[in-house]
Amino acid sequence: MTSGLIGILIVTIHVLGALSSIMALMSSRTSQGAVAWIVTLLTFPYLAVPIYWIFGRPRFYGYTSARGERDTVLRQVLLRFRPRLEPFFSRPSFDTTRIQAVERLAMMPMSTGNRAELLIDGEDTFRSLLDGIDAAREYILVQFFIFRADEIGTLFKQHLMRRAEQGVRVCLLYDEIGSRSLPNDYLHELSSAGIEVTAFNSSRGWRHRFQINFRNHRKVLVVDGREGWTGGFNVADEYLGRVARYGPWRDTHIKLTGPSVMGLQEAFWEDWYWATEEILPLNWEPSVTCDECQHVVIVPSGPADRCETASLLIQHAIHGARERLWVTSPYFVPDQGVQDALKLAALRGVDVRVMIPERPDHLLVFLSAFSFLPEMIRHGVRIFRYQPGFLHQKVVLVDDETALVGSVNLDNRSFRLNFEITAYVPDTAFAGQVEGMLRRDFAACREVSLDELNNRPIWRKLVSRAAYLLAPIQ
């Protein structure tokens, strides 16, 4: 390579660094992130430019433009059924002010006429999921972050194939990163049985080929537009406690019937449109079958949103707590806003408890938490580590009134990089079930003391702090 070409290459890289720094200045969602990227891009452009285009982009731009096209079509579809949905739009009397903000984050109204069923751990959850699949008559929408071709994955596949062979339309959507170990033979068997299978394709198209840091972390199953499931479970043997590395697996899911299923269906519908550019014809008529009807709103969130929906939803729940705020999250590295909200809640006398795993499965994320936990404990936040096995549930309990169950972890990835989904249930009976569940979980935890954290070796404190600096891309 001649010296002239080398010079052109060097100038080009520095120009790309400067242009990327302008993009970081205009699009980064935090001032700290913007400063960090600008300094790095201008100082070390040879390394920083490719890293920025993979990890630094804060918005899923392709999905945003696809959403604009989708919205026009969806509005046309929903307008035909809106009169049938409106009778079920309502808010519980004790929570009308807080619900307005949640509805705006969800971009859909809260509905009544729902039944919310708490599903605890693998056996009950997978039994419910498979029974739902077997009962399908028209269509099944399936979306998970992780599919594996193991024992439960094979069983899941067999149930889906049987329904497809009997004329039920089955659409299966998976994340290509989360399910990267899924063999082609597994996918071929599904396709051969008539199941429509696609990866989410976050990097679809040449303009979006660097968007590999975004993930679709949603877990959704919808049957005939009448029943729906969401929560923390993926389709893999470890979620049934069958993998020795993790031991017993602690997780939570929720089954919904009623108008709220439309929210789960809409989130899948939108993701399917991004992945395939196909508009699925679905049933948009609500089904009401419950005796004791509950209020529910489904809150999808992701990097294509105009605001940081997941982070704002969690902060809103924290600020609304008056007596109790119990949180469980396997990956607990919240941003400063959520950390401050938790500390303020504890300072005003709220019983703030955070449950995290004793055993990590992502070491950097696990280590990151220990850099800020001492400060939280000093402000009155109580930290508990779950002992029997791996804790994976994502649940929030607010006072005696409201529970959130979904796929959102309290970390940067869930807040800004992942597509997530949460069921927000302001119902005292359901909240009571969640409280009983969490009391049993806290009884199986050990509380972390400030002395324990302060007495760690200096090298462990340094490692934790270094890991925390990487939190924005973990």
Side-chain angles (χ1 to χ4, degrees):
M1 183 179 293
T2 66
S3 59
L5 289 175
I6 293 174
I8 292 173
L9 180 60
I10 291 173
V11 170
T12 300
I13 292 173
H14 280 273
V15 169
L16 288 174
L19 293 174
S20 298
S21 67
I22 293 172
M23 180 178 290
L25 174 65
M26 300 301 295
S27 63
S28 292
R29 294 193 174 186
T30 66
S31 57
Q32 298 93 329
V35 171
W37 278 119
I38 290 170
V39 170
T40 307
L41 286 164
L42 294 178
T43 308
F44 307 104
Y46 307 97
L47 180 63
V49 168
I51 292 176
Y52 175 76
W53 282 92
I54 294 173
F55 295 110
R57 301 177 73 180
R59 295 289 300 278
F60 198 138
Y61 294 106
Y63 195 103
T64 303
S65 59
R67 170 177 280 169
E69 302 166 9
R70 189 274 309 171
D71 280 348
T72 301
V73 178
L74 183 59
R75 277 196 296 271
Q76 294 173 354
V77 173
L78 290 183
L79 278 174
R80 289 181 289 165
F81 299 107
R82 187 66 180 235
R84 300 174 187 176
L85 290 168
E86 286 179 350
F88 306 102
F89 294 158
S90 71
R91 300 170 183 168
S93 58
F94 64 81
D95 206 13
T96 54
T97 304
R98 283 186 286 180
I99 290 301
Q100 183 176 1
V102 177
E103 289 177 327
R104 289 180 175 177
L105 287 172
M107 293 191 294
M108 63 181 68
M110 172 162 286
S111 66
T112 187
N114 302 288
R115 182 192 294 277
E117 179 185 348
L118 194 63
L119 296 171
I120 302 172
D121 288 337
E123 295 294 340
D124 288 344
T125 298
F126 282 107
R127 186 183 305 112
S128 180
L129 291 169
L130 294 174
D131 286 348
I133 289 170
D134 293 344
R137 295 293 178 266
E138 300 175 26
Y139 60 83
I140 303 170
L141 312 177
V142 188
Q143 178 179 16
F144 287 94
F145 178 60
I146 296 174
F147 273 96
R148 298 202 200 283
D150 51 20
E151 185 177 348
I152 188 60
T154 299
L155 184 62
F156 217 86
K157 175 185 66 177
Q158 292 169 347
H159 280 254
L160 291 174
M161 289 170 61
R162 279 199 295 267
R163 299 314 296 152
E165 290 163 359
Q166 293 173 11
V168 175
R169 185 175 187 181
V170 181
C171 300
L172 189 150
L173 183 64
Y174 64 93
D175 185 89
E176 62 269 32
I177 303 298
S179 301
R180 59 188 176 275
S181 63
L182 195 62
N184 290 331
D185 289 348
Y186 185 98
L187 299 173
H188 180 71
E189 283 187 71
L190 292 169
S191 298
S192 297
I195 295 173
E196 299 167 60
V197 184
T198 183
F200 179 63
N201 294 322
S202 59
S203 56
R204 174 170 63 84
W206 69 270
R207 290 183 302 168
H208 318 301
R209 62 187 180 275
F210 296 118
Q211 295 186 151
I212 64 174
N213 200 34
F214 297 115
R215 308 277 190 274
N216 197 312
H217 194 242
R218 292 170 180 165
K219 293 92 172 166
V220 172
L221 177 69
V222 173
V223 172
D224 297 338
R226 301 181 183 277
E227 295 182 321
W229 292 257
T230 193
F233 279 89
N234 288 295
V235 182
D237 278 351
E238 59 261 38
Y239 291 81
L240 282 157
R242 296 173 179 171
V243 177
R245 173 189 170 191
Y246 301 108
W249 190 278
R250 179 68 191 90
D251 220 327
T252 300
H253 228 62
I254 186 173
K255 177 185 176 182
L256 298 169
T257 56
S260 62
V261 176
M262 300 292 99
L264 294 176
Q265 182 166 274
E266 182 181 343
F268 180 95
W269 194 92
E270 187 176 48
D271 289 346
W272 186 266
Y273 182 78
W274 160 258
T276 67
E277 298 185 331
E278 177 192 9
I279 300 167
L280 287 173
L282 301 174
N283 168 34
W284 295 101
E285 298 188 53
S287 172
V288 180
T289 59
C290 65
D291 296 325
E292 297 181 5
C293 294
Q294 295 160 318
H295 291 83
V296 180
V297 63
I298 300 299
V299 187
S301 56
D305 296 352
R306 293 185 180 91
C307 60
E308 294 178 0
T309 303
S311 177
L312 290 175
L313 178 66
I314 297 299
Q315 291 183 63
H316 183 61
I318 298 169
H319 289 306
R322 298 181 297 273
E323 298 176 0
R324 173 193 294 127
L325 182 85
W326 293 355
V327 178
T328 72
S329 178
Y331 314 117
F332 184 67
V333 194
D335 56 30
Q336 194 62 50
V338 173
Q339 289 182 40
D340 291 343
L342 288 168
K343 289 185 284 190
L344 281 170
L347 288 172
R348 66 176 183 265
V350 176
D351 175 16
V352 181
R353 305 184 192 183
V354 177
M355 189 188 310
I356 60 176
E358 179 73 51
R359 310 177 188 179
D361 72 331
H362 291 285
L363 187 58
L364 278 179
V365 178
F366 182 77
L367 290 172
S368 298
F370 292 93
S371 66
F372 59 84
L373 287 184
E375 187 69 13
M376 299 196 76
I377 293 174
R378 276 191 285 268
H379 282 79
V381 177
R382 301 175 67 188
I383 307 296
F384 295 81
R385 297 178 66 176
Y386 186 73
Q387 298 298 296
F390 184 66
L391 178 82
H392 190 257
Q393 62 175 328
K394 304 93 165 51
V395 175
V396 178
L397 177 64
V398 182
D399 297 332
D400 300 323
E401 299 172 348
T402 302
L404 289 72
V405 179
S407 65
V408 174
N409 297 301
L410 269 69
D411 66 356
N412 180 72
R413 174 160 290 283
S414 275
F415 288 166
R416 298 183 178 89
L417 300 175
N418 285 352
F419 291 87
E420 307 281 8
I421 196 160
T422 302
Y424 185 99
V425 187
D427 180 85
T428 55
F430 184 77
Q433 296 177 37
V434 173
E435 178 190 350
M437 175 187 75
L438 293 181
R439 284 194 182 279
R440 294 189 293 273
D441 290 338
F442 280 116
C445 292
R446 70 174 183 86
E447 187 168 359
V448 179
S449 70
L450 189 58
D451 286 343
E452 174 188 342
L453 297 177
N454 288 338
N455 292 333
R456 290 175 300 156
I458 186 64
W459 66 268
R460 291 191 63 179
K461 294 179 181 179
L462 291 172
V463 169
S464 294
R465 191 61 189 172
Y468 182 60
L469 295 177
L470 297 174
I473 64 172
Q474 291 176 23

